[in-house]
Amino acid sequence: MPAELVLKNATVIDPTGARPNTDVAIADGRIVEVGENLDVEAPTIIDATGLVVGPGLVDLHTHLREPGREEAETVESGSRAAALGGYTAVVAMPNTEPAIDSAAVVRHILELGTKALTDVHVAGAITVGRQGKQLAPLAEMAELGVRLFTDDGAGVQDTRLMRRALEYASGLSVTLAQHCEDEALAHGGHMHEGEWSSRLGVPGMPSEAEELMVARDIALSRLTGAPVHFLHLSTRRSIELVRDAKAKGLRVTAEAAPHHFTLTHAETQTYDTRFKVNPPLRTDDDVAAVKQGLADGTIDAIATDHAPHTQEAKEAPFDEAPPGMIGLETAFALAITELGLPIERVLALLSWQPAAIAGIEREHGGPIEAGRAANLVVIDPTATWTVDPSKTASRSRNTPYTGRQLTGRVVHTILRGDLVVRDGEATR
Ligand code: DOR
């Protein structure tokens, strides 16, 4: 059988398990054959001995900044960073300017996404302008394929409005995702409230500001029967609340960001704004709880919260600088390096579990078998490399991991059969 691209002699890992010494043949954007020693001709044959082929990674939480803050990121530059990080799909967050709160803005992003290096899906806002006052037109956005809605950057504060939104979302078969932060309690805080905020004299946000909203939305999910996805959980008790809700059979899912399992609030002691993020970096005990939640299945996905900011913006004093750090090119390696989980589990957390939450499992994260779209990542699980922000494809450089040595490297990324990343370099 003729093919366009063949990956030879890889370990294939997907939701069905691991297959050593396996070839994957690709034509017309699809996988056409998978097996040992395939007898197939192709213009491009890649020796993948020692490498892992998995379904492409899926990021539930990417800030692409377009429209409005193109100096920090664009759909093109963000998707390029994503492809280099092994992603074949990202979900763009709606806290843009204007917010993604209407069919017109959704269409605009989807149109830009057609030229991107990954698939670009959109999370729509729950409320108009993310102002928390009035429901956004969820139905007209859902009609364009939007499956996740969130006011990320802020939580929906009004409990009655959140209940209505959940009831509405339930009828549309879409999922609401919450940035859990009680604004009244977190008000004026710039870091985790605890030992380091006291020492540094920086106002803090208590863990309870996150946990109150997690508890509230678990209650609202029970009341309405609608699913809730919890964004970037960062505290031990948030994770315990989700574990308990899942044990009771409630329809909740959760994600954690790499910085919440790799860094603590002690990093902020130099007032370095690269460590300012929201939810803030927390304690050693919280980091241990996030790792445990990822290991035991309480947390379903690792999501980057890739939040590019210009150098100028991050040069402001700690209490004035915007929160956020870039993360698309380091997420996979941080997970391999820091979690101590088998690569099958890491891929579940970065690929097929988030694909299911995003509602894109037909195209991404699925089993590697004939007939499926060829959205794949090829990984060297043992290669080491050092994080160098000058090499990022993002328009922003605000990584806290400069100089860190990591294990696990993305070698190739394949989007519908197209080698968008080859040997660690973008091909277009
Ligand atoms: O650190 C963060 N940055 N947290 C958010 O919720 C928003 C994000 C951003 O958009 O910069």
Side-chain angles (χ1 to χ4, degrees):
M1 173 192 290
E4 283 153 21
L5 169 64
V6 182
L7 306 169
K8 293 290 286 179
N9 201 32
T11 298
V12 169
I13 298 181
D14 69 8
T16 68
R19 285 167 278 174
N21 310 323
T22 300
D23 301 348
V24 181
I26 294 162
D28 291 332
R30 303 214 154 254
I31 298 164
V32 289
E33 211 178 343
V34 183
E36 280 185 38
N37 294 315
L38 294 184
D39 183 16
V40 42
E41 308 260 312
T44 309
I45 295 183
I46 291 180
D47 179 12
T49 305
L51 305 181
V52 167
V53 175
L57 310 186
V58 173
D59 190 26
L60 287 170
H61 199 138
T62 311
H63 295 278
L64 291 175
R65 302 297 189 222
E66 204 169 354
R69 277 196 281 153
E70 290 82 356
E71 70 282 9
E73 199 74 289
T74 62
V75 172
E76 199 279 334
S77 65
S79 75
R80 181 175 294 272
L84 287 163
Y87 291 89
T88 53
V90 298
V91 179
M93 287 289 116
N95 61 336
T96 49
E97 292 159 21
I100 307 178
D101 65 355
S102 68
V105 188
V106 171
R107 257 190 226 106
H108 177 58
I109 304 302
L110 294 179
E111 173 61 27
L112 291 169
T114 59
K115 296 180 211 91
L117 279 79
T118 61
D119 277 357
V120 176
H121 295 272
V122 169
I126 297 172
T127 67
V128 174
R130 298 174 46 256
Q131 296 296 304
K133 300 271 189 291
Q134 193 188 336
L135 281 186
L138 307 193
E140 69 175 49
M141 291 190 269
E143 246 175 54
L144 295 172
V146 177
R147 287 287 160 269
L148 278 180
F149 291 87
T150 177
D151 278 359
D152 182 56
V156 177
Q157 303 297 310
D158 181 332
T159 307
R160 195 155 69 99
L161 187 63
M162 189 61 192
R163 175 195 182 166
R164 285 231 197 85
L166 284 165
E167 285 165 350
Y168 190 15
S170 200
L172 298 169
S173 298
V174 299
T175 300
L176 300 193
Q178 190 72 283
H179 168 119
C180 290
E181 181 179 334
D182 181 298
E183 272 169 16
L185 190 56
H187 183 75
H190 295 286
M191 62 181 291
H192 172 67
E193 182 176 308
E195 179 195 346
W196 281 101
S197 64
S198 303
R199 285 204 208 178
L200 299 173
V202 173
M205 301 178 237
S207 297
E208 284 76 1
E210 175 175 312
E211 293 152 3
L212 279 169
M213 197 169 279
V214 174
R216 183 201 74 173
D217 283 3
I218 288 171
L220 290 178
S221 174
R222 185 188 306 114
L223 178 65
T224 60
V228 175
H229 176 68
F230 292 109
L231 301 169
H232 45 46
L233 291 187
S234 67
T235 86
R236 173 174 289 279
R237 281 181 303 265
S238 291
I239 294 158
E240 285 170 1
L241 287 163
V242 170
R243 187 177 290 122
D244 182 57
K246 285 188 164 189
K248 293 193 169 88
L250 296 177
R251 299 175 71 195
V252 297
T253 52
E255 65 181 43
H259 42 272
H260 289 128
F261 62 77
T262 55
L263 303 168
T264 73
H265 59 161
E267 306 281 356
T268 51
Q269 60 192 277
T270 57
Y271 298 95
D272 183 336
T273 61
R274 286 175 308 156
F275 296 99
K276 182 175 180 182
V277 65
N278 196 18
L281 302 178
R282 304 223 189 241
T283 66
D284 284 317
D285 184 57
D286 293 310
V287 167
V290 172
K291 286 185 173 177
Q292 180 59 35
L294 288 163
D296 71 15
T298 304
I299 303 172
D300 302 272
I302 296 168
T304 66
D305 198 359
H306 176 84
H309 291 288
T310 61
Q311 194 168 338
E312 194 187 5
K314 278 290 196 182
E315 270 169 5
F318 198 85
D319 59 349
E320 288 169 29
M325 38 183 76
I326 59 171
L328 288 164
E329 289 165 84
T330 46
F332 166 74
L334 285 166
I336 289 286
T337 309
E338 301 286 341
L339 291 178
L341 294 175
I343 190 164
E344 290 84 344
R345 285 287 306 138
V346 170
L347 287 174
L349 289 161
L350 281 161
S351 178
W352 47 94
Q353 290 176 184
I357 293 166
I360 57 172
E361 64 274 27
R362 279 166 57 99
E363 285 273 306
H364 296 273
I368 295 177
E369 63 188 25
R372 305 268 316 186
N375 293 321
L376 302 168
V377 64
V378 185
I379 288 157
D380 184 337
T382 58
T384 56
W385 59 287
T386 303
V387 180
D388 176 356
S390 72
K391 295 200 175 131
T392 180
S394 171
R395 284 199 175 179
S396 297
R397 302 274 160 95
N398 53 309
T399 172
Y401 299 110
T402 303
R404 222 197 241 224
Q405 212 194 331
L406 299 177
T407 302
R409 198 171 76 84
V410 173
V411 185
H412 315 295
T413 306
I414 299 167
L415 180 67
R416 271 184 288 286
D418 188 9
L419 263 170
V420 288
V421 171
R422 186 167 188 176
D423 293 320
E425 305 278 344
T427 56
R428 60 177 158 97

